[in-house]
């Protein structure tokens, strides 16, 4: 990849982040959750995309973002009537902008809608036909009374401390400003800290510039385009009276001669005696008080410098995770050969290996933390989806989001958008009633869809709940009979009827629409979640709503597990799911009605599953232990196993990608002796025990 190609790739990565920011801010404005800086943030995002598009030669993208930028600039300067139609226009422009960015990246032609939207944005700016609720917007050139162009400008330029971190240089800005005309510059040094507190990556200087030039204010603003938001900027005509102390040009608390003397004194300090008093003429280097700086009406408040970050390809992170897993496997192999004789003969070796084990674990945890992202990166796209689906169905719906800070592996996050989109559409289209029906049922006219996430052990649960009518089980059953999924005399429980919703091709819609009716939805949701090693469950209460829960692994790369043995085969159980290990002969296993075995645990009966029988294996040894595991909904089950080997961190390998999906199994790992062990899913084992599916011995080797 050439240098230009690399920069172009970085630009498109930045575009993706800026487009996400546009979507978030527009959603916040539409939901009346906007901050005072939201419109400025929209303008900066569009402006940044335009700047890169011009640098890399994408004229269609430049033309569109320029029109969008003009619209946002008029909005932030209060020259447009803000109403739902303006927000909707900006949302459409954001979608078109995403399409143009994709077209520029792939070399495809620009979307046809781009030209129409440019015309719509220009028409919105043109007025006076653009009226909303009796408020008309004047053309931009008539928005203020005509005034003679000033002969110059006074510019107070106060960079934020983080200006250098964004690769900006004030000196270059001053040189560019000088191209407009003669400038007179005064520098404010009052914010310089003491040498001990000086950070060469921070900007401490501020400037007042008097520009003598027959130019517009926009000409001056254009010079500072790429530092907007990273500085405090005030631009006033030279003819205007000087504002009261907009940026006092004070003398610094110490001179540069004093600063140089101080640096020399500090350099020589180590050579002096420890109890030597300071020189009598040393300057007082106490940092001056924090200076105040002017702010323009449209400039956001200063923010703390962002933490430095870099972009890394996901392939590199995957490779790093694989290497960390291989290191863990090698470490486990070495540790496995430490018998008691070696431990007694080489205690230093044992201590070193124990330290290595801790460092390998910390390494894997660090790698997983790098791959983790908060779920809000997915959740934030759904408020707009809810508004659009509600409008299309004529329903009033509100989306409540909780738990967006829960983090999960990036690989999982990337595949969550489509399943959640299907679920939300179904919740609104099939679950939430129309306002008149809700009022008749004694409910508020506005329905509520709740999207929530929580972490439980090594899994993340995502709940989607609605307060609608719930599953119409009679209709589901009738449709299932009509499609031949069940017979008319089939005896099904409520849970069995609800499970029919996940059957391929199943739909209760009476006619096909843009939202539903094609039978492609919940079966796709379940298939995609199962591919991620997850599960889908549904609970419905007639008249009160429906709740769908996705249970997903926290990470797809590494987990803490407990090695167990049954029928001569090694397996791994997720450590987070294990509640307790019991001696098989110290507890009483009882038979419940129906023939199911159970064990009393903390005052309740927990069902017990013989692992070897469940997996179709031939027992080779005595059943010595019962492993109590927590499954979904806080339930506990017991697994009868032959032996408990010990705890270890397992590098998770996908079984589907390397072999095929196996019931009751969520993945595989490599043990220290090189053998492959299957990672068991306790919840899936319950389903497997209810309808046993034999597993060949070769699959467990």
């Amino acid at each position: 990849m050439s240098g230009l190609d690399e920069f172009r790739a970085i630009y498109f990565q930045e575009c993706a982040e800026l487009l996400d920011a546009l979507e978030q801010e527009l959603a916040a404005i539409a939901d009346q959750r906007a901050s005072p800086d939201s419109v400025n943030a929209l303008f900066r995002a569009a402006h940044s995309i335009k700047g890169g598009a011009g640098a890399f030669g994408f004229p269609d993208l430049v033309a569109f973002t320029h029109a969008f930028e003009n619209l946002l600039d008029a909005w932030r300067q209060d020259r447009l009537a803000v109403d739902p139609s303006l927000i909707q226009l900006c949302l459409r422009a954001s979608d078109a902008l995403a399409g143009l960015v994709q077209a520029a990246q792939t070399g495809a032609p620009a979307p046809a809608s781009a030209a129409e939207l440019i015309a719509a944005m220009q028409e919105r700016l043109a007025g006076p036909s653009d009226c909303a609720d009796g408020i008309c917007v004047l053309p931009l050139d008539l928005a203020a009374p005509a005034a003679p162009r000033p002969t110059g400008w006074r510019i107070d330029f106060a960079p934020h401390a983080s200006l250098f971190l964004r690769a900006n240089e004030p000196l270059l800005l001053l040189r560019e400003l000088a191209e407009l005309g003669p400038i007179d510059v005064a520098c404010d040094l009052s914010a310089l800290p003491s040498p001990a507190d000086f950070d060469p990556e921070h900007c401490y200087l501020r400037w007042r510039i008097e520009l003598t030039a027959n130019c517009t204010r926009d000409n001056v603003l254009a010079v500072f385009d790429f530092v907007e938001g990273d500085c405090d900027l005030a631009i006033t005509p030279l003819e205007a009276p000087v504002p009261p102390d907009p940026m006092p040009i004070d003398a610094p608390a110490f001179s540069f001669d004093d600063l140089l003397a101080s640096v020399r004194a500090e350099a020589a300090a180590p050579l002096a005696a420890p109890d030597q008093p300071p020189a009598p003429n040393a300057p007082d280097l106490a940092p001056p008080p924090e200076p105040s700086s002017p702010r323009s009406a449209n400039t956001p408040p200063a923010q703390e410098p962002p933490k430095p970050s870099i972009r890394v390809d996901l392939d590199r992170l995957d490779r790093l995770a694989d290497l960390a897993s291989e290191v863990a496997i090698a470490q486990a192999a070495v540790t496995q050969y430490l018998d008691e004789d070696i431990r007694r003969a080489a205690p230093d070796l044992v201590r070193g290996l124990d330290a290595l084990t801790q460092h390998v674990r910390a390494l894997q945890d660090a790698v997983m933390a790098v791959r983790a992202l908060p779920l809000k990166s997915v959740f934030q796209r759904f408020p707009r989806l809810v508004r659009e689906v509600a409008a299309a169905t004529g329903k009033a719906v509100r989306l409540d989001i909780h738990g967006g800070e829960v983090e999960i592996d990036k690989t999982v996050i990337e595949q969550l958008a489509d399943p959640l989109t299907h679920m939300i559409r179904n919740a609104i289209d099939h679950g939430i009633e129309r306002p008149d029906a809700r009022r008749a049922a004694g409910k508020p006219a506005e329905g509520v869809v709740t999207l929530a996430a929580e972490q439980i052990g090594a899994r993340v649960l995502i709940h989607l709940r609605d307060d609608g009518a719930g599953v119409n089980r009679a209709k589901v059953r009738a449709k299932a009979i009509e499609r031949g999924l069940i017979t008319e005399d089939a005896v099904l429980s409520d849970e069995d009827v609800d499970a029919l919703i996940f059957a391929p091709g199943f739909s209760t819609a009476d006619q096909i629409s843009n939202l539903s009716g094609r039978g492609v939805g919940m079966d796709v949701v379940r298939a995609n979640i199962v591919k991620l090693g997850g599960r889908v469950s549904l609970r419905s209460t007639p008249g009160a709503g429906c709740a769908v829960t996705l249970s997903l692994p926290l990470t797809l790369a590494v987990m803490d597990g407990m090695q167990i043995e049954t029928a001569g085969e090694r397996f791994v159980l997720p450590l987070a799911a294990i509640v307790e290990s019991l001696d098989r002969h110290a507890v009483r296993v009882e038979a419940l009605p129906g023939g199911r075995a159970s064990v009393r645990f903390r005052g309740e009966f927990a069902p017990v599953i013989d692992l070897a029988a469940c997996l179709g294996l031939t027992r080779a040894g005595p059943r010595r232990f019962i492993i109590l595991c927590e499954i979904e909904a806080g339930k506990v089950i017991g697994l009868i196993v032959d032996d408990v080997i010990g705890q270890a961190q397992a590098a998770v390998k996908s079984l589907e990608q390397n072999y095929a999906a196996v019931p009751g199994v969520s993945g595989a790992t490599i043990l220290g002796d090189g053998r492959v062990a299957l990672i068991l899913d306790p919840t899936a084992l319950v389903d497997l025990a209810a309808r046993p599916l034999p597993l060949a011995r070769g699959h467990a080797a």
Side-chain angles (χ1 to χ4, degrees):
M1 180 182 290
S2 67
L4 183 59
D5 291 337
E6 184 175 353
F7 286 127
R8 186 181 288 112
I10 293 174
Y11 165 69
F12 285 119
Q13 291 174 1
E14 292 177 345
C15 282
E17 296 174 2
L18 292 167
L19 289 169
D20 283 344
L22 270 172
E23 186 78 18
Q24 291 179 46
E25 295 294 349
L26 285 170
I29 292 171
D31 293 339
Q32 298 181 348
R33 297 181 287 105
S35 68
D37 190 44
S38 289
V39 182
N40 285 320
L42 294 175
F43 178 84
R44 288 193 298 270
H47 182 73
S48 298
I49 293 175
K50 185 183 81 170
F56 291 109
F58 301 128
D60 293 335
L61 189 53
V62 170
F64 187 87
T65 48
H66 182 70
F68 193 16
E69 189 181 44
N70 286 342
L71 184 73
L72 295 171
D73 189 39
W75 182 357
R76 68 176 186 160
Q77 294 187 32
D78 298 325
R79 294 189 292 186
L80 284 178
V82 181
D83 56 23
S85 65
L86 175 62
I87 298 173
Q88 186 62 31
L89 177 60
C90 289
L91 285 168
R92 291 171 56 206
S94 176
D95 291 340
L97 185 56
L100 283 163
V101 169
Q102 185 177 9
Q105 188 172 8
T106 60
S113 61
E116 298 175 3
L117 280 170
I118 289 177
M121 289 186 287
Q122 291 174 341
E123 182 180 354
R124 181 82 188 205
L125 287 170
S129 60
D130 186 11
C131 299
D133 299 329
I135 303 175
C136 294
V137 181
L138 295 176
L140 291 181
D141 56 352
L142 301 178
R149 178 174 292 180
T151 59
W153 300 93
R154 181 182 299 107
I155 304 134
D156 291 318
F157 173 44
H160 296 166
S162 60
L163 186 77
F164 293 151
L165 299 177
R166 302 182 184 275
N168 287 307
E169 170 55 61
L171 181 59
L172 298 179
L173 298 175
L174 295 178
R175 288 176 178 172
E176 186 176 353
L177 200 60
E179 294 180 1
L180 297 177
I183 59 173
D184 185 14
V185 183
C187 182
D188 181 0
L189 310 176
S190 61
L192 278 174
S194 66
D197 298 328
F198 186 82
D199 186 341
E201 293 186 350
H202 283 189
C203 183
Y204 299 101
L205 306 182
R206 299 180 297 161
W207 290 269
R208 170 174 292 166
I209 309 111
E210 292 189 352
L211 167 66
T212 306
N214 187 20
C215 62
T216 66
R217 188 175 186 275
D218 287 341
N219 296 141
V220 179
L221 276 173
V223 174
F224 298 94
D225 266 351
F226 286 98
V227 294
E228 185 173 5
D230 291 323
C231 69
D232 295 332
L233 190 66
I235 304 173
T236 55
L238 280 180
E239 293 79 5
V242 178
D245 295 328
M247 187 177 76
I249 306 297
D250 299 329
F254 50 90
S255 66
F256 279 107
D257 291 338
D258 290 338
L259 177 62
L260 182 59
S262 171
V263 172
R264 289 173 176 168
E266 288 188 9
L271 302 177
D275 56 350
Q276 181 177 353
N281 295 327
D284 181 8
L285 295 180
E290 189 71 21
S292 60
S293 56
R295 299 191 187 276
S296 65
N298 295 318
T299 303
Q303 299 177 353
E304 292 184 3
K307 294 181 180 179
S309 62
I310 60 173
R311 290 184 177 86
V312 180
D313 290 339
L314 184 59
D315 290 341
R316 293 190 178 185
L317 291 181
D318 291 339
R319 178 59 179 157
L320 180 61
D322 288 340
L323 288 175
S325 300
E326 296 300 330
V327 171
I329 293 170
Q331 171 267 322
V334 174
T335 304
Q336 186 168 343
Y337 290 106
L338 291 181
D339 56 21
E340 291 301 322
D341 293 337
I342 295 177
R343 290 180 180 276
R344 285 193 298 268
D348 291 340
L349 173 62
V350 174
R351 283 193 293 270
L353 285 175
D354 288 343
L356 176 62
T357 300
Q358 295 177 6
H359 292 322
V360 169
R361 179 178 294 273
L363 172 63
Q364 289 189 306
D365 290 343
V367 171
M368 294 306 103
V370 170
R371 291 170 54 95
L373 288 176
L375 281 167
K376 67 180 180 182
S377 60
V378 176
F379 288 0
Q380 66 195 11
R381 67 184 68 181
F382 295 125
R384 181 179 177 186
L385 173 68
V386 169
R387 288 194 302 272
E388 292 176 349
V389 176
T393 57
K395 299 175 181 179
V397 186
R398 183 180 80 249
L399 177 66
D400 288 344
I401 295 178
H402 308 283
E405 70 282 356
V406 174
E407 293 188 341
I408 195 170
D409 193 281
K410 178 178 173 63
T411 307
V412 178
I413 278 187
E414 290 176 341
Q415 301 182 55
L416 276 179
D418 286 345
L420 289 176
T421 298
H422 282 302
M423 291 164 56
I424 290 174
R425 283 177 173 169
N426 277 355
I428 299 174
D429 193 24
H430 297 294
I432 301 294
E433 312 96 326
R434 294 185 179 276
D436 53 350
R438 291 181 62 86
R439 293 190 191 96
K443 297 181 180 180
E446 183 182 58
V448 179
V449 174
T450 302
L451 182 61
E454 60 178 332
Q455 180 181 341
I456 298 180
R459 300 189 77 82
V460 170
L461 301 183
I462 299 177
H463 308 281
L464 184 73
R465 296 184 290 267
D466 66 73
D467 65 346
V471 174
N472 187 336
R473 294 191 175 107
K475 189 173 184 179
V476 169
R477 182 183 177 90
K479 283 286 185 180
I481 294 172
E482 177 185 329
R483 294 175 180 270
L485 297 176
I486 60 174
T487 60
E488 292 188 9
D489 58 350
V491 179
L492 302 178
S493 65
D494 289 345
E495 291 75 13
D496 293 335
V497 174
D498 293 344
L500 291 171
I501 294 174
F502 296 99
F506 185 84
S507 175
T508 58
D510 296 323
Q511 58 184 5
I512 296 176
S513 68
N514 292 333
L515 297 174
S516 61
R518 300 185 184 275
V520 179
M522 296 305 290
D523 61 318
V524 175
V525 168
R526 185 168 63 176
N528 290 343
I529 297 302
V530 169
K531 286 180 182 178
L532 295 172
R535 299 181 295 274
V536 184
S537 60
L538 184 147
R539 289 182 299 168
S540 176
T541 303
C546 186
V548 181
T549 298
L550 308 182
S551 176
L552 297 159
L554 188 63
T555 175
L556 301 181
V558 66
M559 58 165 281
D560 287 322
M562 179 71 74
Q563 288 188 40
I564 60 174
E565 185 173 288
T566 192
E569 303 290 351
R570 292 281 180 91
F571 298 93
V572 175
L573 279 171
L575 191 64
I578 297 178
V579 178
E580 191 173 338
S581 299
L582 304 176
D583 186 336
R584 164 72 176 79
H585 301 290
V587 296
R588 182 179 177 183
V589 178
E590 303 180 12
L592 293 177
R596 296 295 299 272
S598 65
V599 63
R600 185 179 292 273
F601 173 69
R602 297 177 184 174
E604 297 182 0
F605 285 98
V608 173
I609 298 172
D610 188 323
L611 185 59
C614 179
L615 298 178
L617 301 176
T618 303
R619 180 166 306 287
R623 300 180 294 177
R624 298 174 52 197
F625 295 96
I626 296 178
I627 309 296
L628 295 174
C629 299
E630 184 177 9
I631 59 175
E632 291 178 357
K635 298 179 180 178
V636 175
I637 65 164
L639 298 177
I640 300 178
V641 302
D642 297 351
D643 200 2
V644 176
I645 308 302
Q647 179 181 343
Q649 198 168 45
V652 181
K653 306 296 181 182
S654 171
L655 207 59
E656 286 192 350
Q657 293 178 4
N658 297 285
Y659 175 63
V662 178
V665 175
S666 61
T669 188
I670 302 175
L671 302 178
D673 58 3
R675 289 192 293 171
V676 175
L678 300 181
I679 300 171
L680 301 177
D681 183 343
T683 301
L685 288 175
V686 175
D687 298 334
L688 185 61
R691 44 184 181 85
L693 298 175
L695 176 67
R697 286 181 58 87
H699 294 172

